[in-house]
Amino acid sequence: MNDRPYSPGGDAKVIGDIGQRVFGGYTGMFTYHHWPERGQHMLRKVQTRVVETYGSVRAFEAHFEAVARGRADVADFWTDATSVLFTSFWGWTPETWGTVGWSGLNGATRRTNLMKELTDPFICVCYVTSNQTYIDPDLKGRIAGFYLMSHEMGDRDEFTHPIHHGRDATKWRHSLRAVRAFSYLPEYRPRAMDLFPELSKTARHVSAMGEVITDPAKIDTLRSIPWVEVPVFSKGASGDEASAPQHPGLGMVPAGPASSGGYFVPEGTSHLPRELYVLRLRGDTTAYLGQSVEGSSIIKIGLSVSPDMRRQTLQKAMPRGTFCWQVLRTTRKDGHDPYSGFSAAVSGENAMKQYLAQHATWLGGEFYLASEDDVGAAWQIGRAAALKFEEESSVDDDQ
């Protein structure tokens, strides 16, 4: 996208044309994107806002060209021509860390050279290093997700939450800004060593400098892993705007009938298998409900492509404290394969609901106050119902 230069004034013309064609003018475009300017101030700030949100005017144009073709999906920003950088992080928290950076004089040189080599924007795929004791053990050594990176240069602290500003003061100062972030679903995250066996020899270089990936097979693998868009830290963002993806809903499909969000499903995997799950809220349940619970727990049941991502979503909606959601049961944890048919998982979920409606206390939605015995019984009934549905569907297909 960065190989085609615009004529003088071309950026403004592209933005104006898209603003008029898609949004009916600047006011509609600014309202849609929640950009604050109005009136005469819109013309002065529009190019800045476009670059802040999409990474570049060319990326903005490519996005709406794809939308016009009915392809608002991964091809919007990760085409065969998009550069891919691979590096490691000490963790994976895009909501507070909206950058990729390099350290020292060598790092400054590396950033300059990469900007000459990489498209604008480019993809940065991140795996979580395994040599830090405080990292979530489920993330260690795994490829956690990827950023859509701009060529906007700055100091690390411009692109990170203040909680990071006093830590490792000399590291990653030569930074580029991330404009979007995407997490691979936990159940599908590959081990970095499985995809990049050479890491046993190159890990230090990948960590310090990053490695440009050119192998089409590896890029296709990284592009095809199911992902969900997640919040990315943006300087100046606050409130709800700071906690929401910049392009909610694009490239997404619902994970369940009542889901308001969802997961991106790459082409060819639009029927990802679903799991049944039971989540449990850990903490003082009596205090939470204001009544004695006599050994019961608050649970949530449902179906999902990724039960752990569902847990994370619920947890992030709660203030930090002693209450936390844990995955109690899933189809995979039970030693069974996920259900290939969505309807089979729905059948299992409904069976659990019917049992819990009679034996537990309904708390609204898919939440119940239930004993361990009732959870176990509901789970067995739900699992059996889903399996029966799949078996009957398989027989019908054969006939």
Side-chain angles (χ1 to χ4, degrees), residues 303-317:
L303 62 93
S304 179
V305 171
S306 173
D308 192 60
M309 190 65 76
R310 189 72 184 98
R311 177 195 65 80
Q312 293 178 37
T313 301
L314 287 172
Q315 191 64 48
K316 288 181 179 180

Side-chain angles (χ1 to χ4, degrees), residues 156-167 169 173 233:
R156 179 196 74 181
D157 289 355
E158 295 181 64
F159 309 132
T160 60
H161 191 280
I163 62 172
H164 298 295
H165 294 179
R167 304 173 183 172
R173 307 309 309 200
F233 181 82

Side-chain angles (χ1 to χ4, degrees), residues 115-130:
M115 289 177 65
K116 298 175 183 177
E117 181 179 354
L118 301 175
T119 57
D120 182 9
F122 66 93
I123 299 294
C124 183
V125 176
C126 307
Y127 84 95
V128 177
T129 185
S130 59

Side-chain angles (χ1 to χ4, degrees), residues 69-183:
R69 294 193 301 269
R71 294 173 57 248
D73 54 22
V74 68
D76 292 0
F77 60 87
W78 193 345
T79 69
D80 291 341
T82 307
S83 300
V84 181
L85 186 71
F86 180 58
T87 190
S88 66
F89 276 23
W90 284 1
W92 179 244
T93 57
E95 67 275 12
T96 63
W97 192 271
T99 185
V100 172
W102 293 264
S103 305
L105 292 177
N106 289 340
T109 301
R110 176 63 168 166
R111 179 179 67 173
T112 299
N113 291 338
L114 280 173
M115 289 177 65
K116 298 175 183 177
E117 181 179 354
L118 301 175
T119 57
D120 182 9
F122 66 93
I123 299 294
C124 183
V125 176
C126 307
Y127 84 95
V128 177
T129 185
S130 59
N131 62 354
Q132 298 296 325
T133 57
Y134 55 83
I135 298 301
D136 180 349
D138 291 334
L139 276 175
K140 285 186 177 183
R142 293 193 178 273
I143 301 175
F146 59 92
Y147 288 109
L148 180 67
M149 299 298 307
S150 71
H151 280 203
E152 180 183 340
M153 295 188 297
D155 180 80
R156 179 196 74 181
D157 289 355
E158 295 181 64
F159 309 132
T160 60
H161 191 280
I163 62 172
H164 298 295
H165 294 179
R167 304 173 183 172
D168 304 296
T170 63
K171 292 184 178 295
W172 315 299
R173 307 309 309 200
H174 311 290
S175 288
L176 296 174
R177 187 173 73 89
V179 293
R180 295 172 73 180
F182 308 85
S183 288

